[in-house]
Amino acid sequence: MDTPLSPKTLVIRADASSSMGTGHIMRCLALAKAWRQAGGRAVFAVSTLTSSMRSKLESETFEVISLKSLPPEDADETAALCKKIDAMWLILDGYHFDADYQRRIKDAGLRLFLVDDHGSADHYCADIVLNQNMYAHERFYVKREPYTRLLLGCSYALLRQEEFMKWKEWQRPLPGTARKVLITMGGIDEHNITMMVIEALQRVAIDRVEAVAIVGGNNPHYDAIQSFVVGLSTPVRIVRNSTSMADLMAWADVAVSAGGSTCWELAFMGLPSLVVITADNQVAAVEAIAKEGAGVNLGWHHALNAPTIAEKLSGLMKDYELRSHMSQFGQKLVDGLGCERIISVLNCIGV
């Protein structure tokens, strides 16, 4: 790239793969779109990226730059890229951006914004650390630089504004018995939990139930799922690479979801949910969601089976009071203004 970009440029360093999923990229996409809407420019720097996620970013007309090295060796290359395009901020989102990586970025003289979920780094030297989870606490970040600013909690949840904010004042209708079920197990779902939930739906003894299952573009089980749903007694529509998650969440009465960032979208939409733990980094969030009554913790995916899911799902679908509490609590928990608050901080510190 020969021509420098605008001085209001964000470089977003994140990856997506079958093992780590697509959540890091997707939540950064929300920030990138909000930044662009505010007049800035965002560039994605990646070492690993699924084909569907690359297509997603390019369809949104974001520039995607492929790095030659893998983390943590890519720190110097990433720093050089930021300087070349005169980036205002570098955004890091991933569990491999440890203390040494952060130091190398700061030693290069860059402004650093780190998206973190569980405070596992030995030390934090980013200018800003964001933990958007409801369990986020300052005690996770005792070992940090004096200048490091913390943005903690769901008031900073990264939601795609153009998709979700049109629903901000919407009041969810709550039927006495839920009959519309949304299944969303993330962009990859390598363990094919989607299939298990679909099987569980066939065991739910409630009439006129219908479902939509959202399947990511790189889901390796897509063909098998498509074949499985043909002729089922409880109809299931498969939506691949949905571009209207908020609309589907508004349609549904309940959801069965993986325990990633989608949980904050579900909360904003007031959609009562059963949540499955699919990775270690989801445990704290799912446990906190269940403790506060924002969702039902189904536990680890490998300990689940269709009869157990059917029992829990049937119970939630029939329990109007529980669904009402979940819906109201979720909408109070996430107000959808996270990107707006973050951009205000970025612009303030970046001056």
Side-chain angles (χ1 to χ4, degrees):
M1 185 182 302
D2 298 324
T3 304
L5 302 182
S6 159
K8 300 279 283 185
T9 297
L10 297 183
V11 171
I12 296 172
R13 175 69 189 89
D15 293 315
S17 69
S18 58
S19 59
M20 74 177 68
T22 60
H24 299 294
I25 291 283
M26 285 302 294
R27 64 184 178 186
C28 284
L29 178 59
L31 182 59
K33 294 175 79 168
W35 182 260
R36 183 165 64 183
Q37 187 175 6
R41 183 172 182 179
V43 175
F44 285 81
V46 302
S47 287
T48 306
L49 194 64
T50 62
S51 58
S52 66
M53 196 51 51
R54 181 177 291 275
S55 297
K56 172 71 173 175
L57 293 177
E58 291 176 348
S59 71
E60 299 277 4
T61 67
F62 285 105
E63 184 174 2
V64 180
I65 298 175
S66 296
L67 302 173
K68 297 177 181 178
S69 47
L70 296 172
E73 288 75 21
D74 69 286
D76 294 337
E77 184 182 0
T78 299
L81 170 65
C82 290
K83 290 186 174 181
K84 185 176 183 181
I85 64 178
D86 192 22
M88 181 179 181
W89 283 94
L90 170 62
I91 312 293
L92 298 180
D93 190 344
Y95 302 131
H96 37 259
F97 301 127
D98 58 11
D100 180 65
Y101 195 108
Q102 294 174 51
R103 287 191 192 96
R104 290 164 68 182
I105 295 297
K106 287 303 297 175
D107 287 347
L110 298 170
R111 293 190 186 95
L112 177 58
F113 182 105
L114 177 71
V115 184
D116 184 76
D117 286 315
H118 40 64
S120 61
D122 295 332
H123 191 86
Y124 289 85
C125 52
D127 297 277
I128 303 172
V129 176
L130 163 67
N131 186 327
Q132 66 175 354
N133 297 289
M134 63 188 299
Y135 61 82
H137 196 279
E138 187 176 356
R139 66 175 177 271
F140 296 169
Y141 307 103
V142 173
K143 296 182 179 179
R144 67 180 190 271
E145 293 299 316
Y147 59 76
T148 300
R149 178 169 178 175
L150 304 178
L151 305 180
L152 306 177
C154 293
S155 62
Y156 296 102
L158 295 165
L159 268 63
R160 297 180 296 281
Q161 292 182 308
E162 82 292 347
E163 184 176 344
F164 284 93
M165 291 309 288
K166 65 182 180 180
W167 296 99
K168 183 167 175 56
E169 303 301 327
W170 176 65
Q171 295 298 312
R172 170 173 292 281
L174 290 169
T177 299
R179 288 185 167 84
K180 298 176 181 178
V181 181
L182 182 67
I183 304 167
T184 172
M185 290 297 155
I188 305 294
D189 188 20
E190 62 177 325
H191 304 291
N192 203 9
I193 307 164
T194 300
M195 185 88 86
M196 189 190 302
V197 177
I198 294 172
E199 182 183 348
L201 267 175
Q202 311 309 307
R203 299 168 178 262
V204 172
I206 297 174
D207 62 348
R208 304 192 309 279
V209 173
E210 55 182 318
V212 169
I214 299 171
V215 178
N218 284 102
N219 188 314
H221 312 289
Y222 174 73
D223 291 337
I225 293 171
Q226 280 280 52
S227 299
F228 184 71
V229 301
V230 175
L232 292 177
S233 57
T234 297
V236 180
R237 178 165 64 95
I238 306 301
V239 176
R240 194 176 196 185
N241 277 342
S242 172
T243 58
S244 57
M245 285 289 288
D247 293 347
L248 290 171
M249 290 177 182
W251 166 84
D253 297 326
V254 295
V256 185
S257 171
S261 297
T262 301
C263 291
W264 313 127
E265 299 172 357
L266 294 168
F268 174 80
M269 294 297 297
L271 183 58
S273 305
L274 305 179
V275 188
V276 180
I277 298 172
T278 63
D280 289 337
N281 56 64
Q282 297 174 1
V283 173
V286 176
E287 289 179 347
I289 287 168
K291 181 179 179 181
E292 297 297 332
V296 175
N297 181 4
L298 287 179
W300 274 96
H301 67 88
H302 52 71
L304 286 173
N305 54 47
T308 299
I309 297 174
E311 179 184 357
K312 296 291 187 179
L313 181 56
S314 179
L316 180 61
M317 294 170 74
K318 294 176 181 178
D319 194 332
Y320 173 85
E321 294 298 329
L322 178 57
R323 284 183 286 113
S324 178
H325 171 78
M326 286 184 182
S327 183
Q328 293 176 35
F329 182 84
Q331 291 184 311
K332 290 178 181 177
L333 182 67
V334 181
D335 66 5
L337 300 176
C339 286
E340 183 177 319
R341 294 186 179 102
I342 291 167
I343 287 173
S344 177
V345 174
L346 292 176
N347 279 321
C348 179
I349 296 179
V351 172

